[in-house]
Amino acid sequence: MATSVSHPSEPVQLSELWRDPYPAYRYLREHDPVAWVPEAGRYLVTRFEDIMHVERHPETYLSAENPSLMTRSIGETLLRQDGAAHQRLRRAAEPPLRPRVVKEHWLPTLRRNAEDILAPLVEQGGGDLFHDVAGPFAARNLAALLGLRGVSDADMQEWSQAIIDAGGNYGEDPEIWARCARAVTDLDAAMDEVLPVLRREPDPSVISSMLHADDPLTEDEIRTNIRVFLGGGLNEPRDSMAVAAYALLTHDDQRRDVEADPALWKRVFEEAVRWISPIGMYPRRVAERTELGGRVLEAGDKLGVVIASGNRDERVFDRPDAFDIHRAETSHVAFGGGPHFCLGTWVSRAAVGQIGLPLLFRTLSGLRLTETDVPFGGWVFRGPLRLTAAWSPS
């Protein structure tokens, strides 16, 4: 039976979600699967079935939301567009990210980046896999894919984190808005360097593709969409690589299985993004009066589609809180679905599952954690905050 009551059975605090969202998600899936959360100003959708319903009905659950945290921080992007407007932007950016292009053009670049980052670390015998490996690897790959030149790994990571933090700034922290504004200014300066070059000399990058599409994007459209790509396009592969490394380093039996059968690296990646989804929630807006998960929703109501919760739904996954590369259920919603299915999916699978993780464990011999209580943070975006480890110098 549908209900229009606007309060969950138990309050949800965003600060608690940042520390560890999974107990709250478990409670909401069971008791209030479309729950009003005042701090977020939206209903959180937490069951897999309801998430899939939202994805299958984009005409009812719109991506366009203005004002939104994203549009306030970086402007109008394809993630907040629907229908033809969204498709136009997506078609312009998509060609360099298709599976065939990733395989034929980008794999050598991804492999070279991984080797260049890992080689100097061997003799160190220890470090932080999050800051020393996963972050720089994701940053360097993304700079190449986008077409940015002369931008450091550190700048890419700083700009990306500022954009990510602004996109989840439901607490209205003024310093987060200020950091994002500085990042946008610096990124725009980097764009000023490459736009005229790529207009004259096209290459296989995303910026070049946008400039030379059948329906080319304006420079303002390119700038705003590169900002959103810099956010999700860096943190997702970074955090999925760190999560997968953490999972194997805390599950010795599965690590042995993977090292004995390299074909399992693909499963490691897919299970990692199901287990701790790097992008945990994205917003939608209700277009017309409808019902979802037993809740009556009105036109204009805002949703938070919590894919991190859907990926641990007991109705779909056996032992959902366990990391298990051998599980029978392999489908997940970590990359979303429908018209907004993540553009970077194929690159991430190749960079992390096919290249980054195997090279990490092969290059850093005897890899092991030196910190048993690894800190994690976030709910809109989530991953380890550090991953200190040791290995055997050659």
Side-chain angles (χ1 to χ4, degrees):
M1 184 175 71
T3 176
S4 60
V5 176
S6 296
H7 302 285
S9 305
E10 185 171 289
V12 173
Q13 303 296 324
L14 297 190
S15 58
E16 290 301 316
L17 293 184
W18 194 93
R19 280 187 283 272
D20 181 6
Y22 292 108
Y25 292 164
R26 189 182 308 115
Y27 178 90
L28 293 178
R29 286 194 302 270
E30 183 63 28
H31 299 285
D32 201 359
V34 181
W36 174 252
V37 178
E39 272 191 286
R42 62 189 64 238
Y43 293 92
L44 296 190
V45 182
T46 52
R47 286 184 184 171
F48 188 97
E49 179 182 7
D50 295 330
I51 291 168
M52 293 304 297
H53 180 82
V54 170
E55 291 289 1
R56 290 170 180 149
H57 295 85
E59 72 285 352
T60 301
Y61 304 99
L62 304 175
S63 299
E65 183 180 304
N66 197 0
S68 72
L69 296 180
M70 178 178 292
T71 55
R72 284 174 60 189
S73 57
I74 61 174
E76 294 283 352
T77 75
L78 80 171
L79 290 189
R80 294 294 167 267
Q81 301 279 347
D82 296 290
H86 167 256
Q87 284 300 317
R88 172 178 171 267
L89 298 172
R90 186 181 178 98
R91 278 195 301 268
E94 186 177 26
L97 307 175
R98 290 172 181 157
R100 180 182 59 80
V101 180
V102 172
K103 179 180 179 180
E104 295 178 1
H105 179 79
W106 292 114
L107 281 183
T109 299
L110 303 176
R111 183 173 299 278
R112 183 173 62 251
N113 288 345
E115 292 170 345
D116 289 348
I117 288 167
L118 287 168
L121 297 178
V122 173
E123 295 305 321
Q124 290 185 16
D128 182 343
L129 300 181
F130 180 82
H131 289 100
D132 298 340
V133 180
F137 182 51
R140 200 167 302 181
N141 291 342
L142 186 61
L145 288 157
L146 294 181
L148 296 173
R149 303 178 184 184
V151 177
S152 70
D153 298 342
D155 282 344
M156 290 287 289
Q157 292 177 85
E158 181 181 342
W159 300 341
S160 175
Q161 194 61 51
I163 291 169
I164 287 169
D165 290 345
N169 191 21
Y170 290 95
E172 294 285 352
D173 184 332
E175 176 54 27
I176 290 177
W177 292 127
R179 283 197 296 110
C180 183
R182 292 193 295 269
V184 167
T185 298
D186 291 344
L187 176 57
D188 280 353
M191 295 280 290
D192 289 339
E193 303 258 335
V194 298
L195 281 167
V197 175
L198 292 174
R199 191 177 294 281
R200 294 192 309 267
E201 303 168 12
D203 70 9
S205 71
V206 171
I207 295 174
S208 181
S209 180
M210 290 173 161
L211 282 168
H212 299 282
D214 291 339
D215 186 358
L217 303 192
T218 67
E219 289 198 1
D220 282 346
E221 289 172 329
I222 294 172
R223 289 175 190 277
T224 54
N225 284 287
I226 291 300
R227 292 168 197 160
V228 78
F229 293 157
L230 180 56
L234 196 153
N235 88 291
E236 188 279 328
R238 177 199 67 192
D239 291 350
S240 63
M241 185 172 184
V243 165
Y246 167 78
L248 288 185
L249 291 170
T250 53
H251 295 76
D252 290 340
D253 54 340
Q254 296 185 61
R255 177 179 179 176
R256 287 192 294 269
D257 291 344
V258 172
E259 290 177 336
D261 181 6
L264 291 173
W265 282 113
K266 176 182 177 182
R267 280 184 168 265
V268 172
F269 174 78
E270 300 297 338
E271 176 66 354
V273 297
R274 181 207 66 82
W275 187 47
I276 300 178
S277 304
I279 299 175
M281 186 277 282
Y282 53 81
R284 290 292 183 265
R285 180 172 58 84
V286 179
E288 58 190 10
R289 195 172 198 266
T290 189
E291 180 185 334
L292 181 68
R295 173 85 63 186
V296 173
L297 299 170
E298 303 293 343
D301 282 348
K302 294 181 178 181
L303 307 181
V305 183
V306 190
I307 55 178
S309 175
N311 281 332
R312 291 208 187 185
D313 193 331
E314 313 80 284
R315 296 155 189 80
V316 177
F317 302 99
D318 181 46
R319 299 181 306 113
D321 294 330
F323 177 85
D324 181 6
I325 62 173
H326 300 298
R327 67 171 58 254
E329 318 92 336
T330 57
S331 296
H332 58 74
V333 288
F335 296 111
H340 284 269
F341 182 74
C342 177
L343 272 171
T345 298
W346 305 107
V347 173
S348 190
R349 283 172 168 158
V352 178
Q354 188 173 340
I355 292 174
L357 286 170
L359 273 175
L360 172 68
F361 280 81
R362 189 162 66 244
T363 304
L364 303 183
S365 177
L367 187 61
R368 60 200 180 277
L369 291 178
T370 56
E371 181 179 22
T372 55
D373 189 15
V374 173
F376 283 72
W379 69 283
V380 177
F381 304 91
R382 186 166 183 83
L385 304 180
R386 63 177 180 269
L387 199 60
T388 54
W391 50 89
S392 305
S394 59

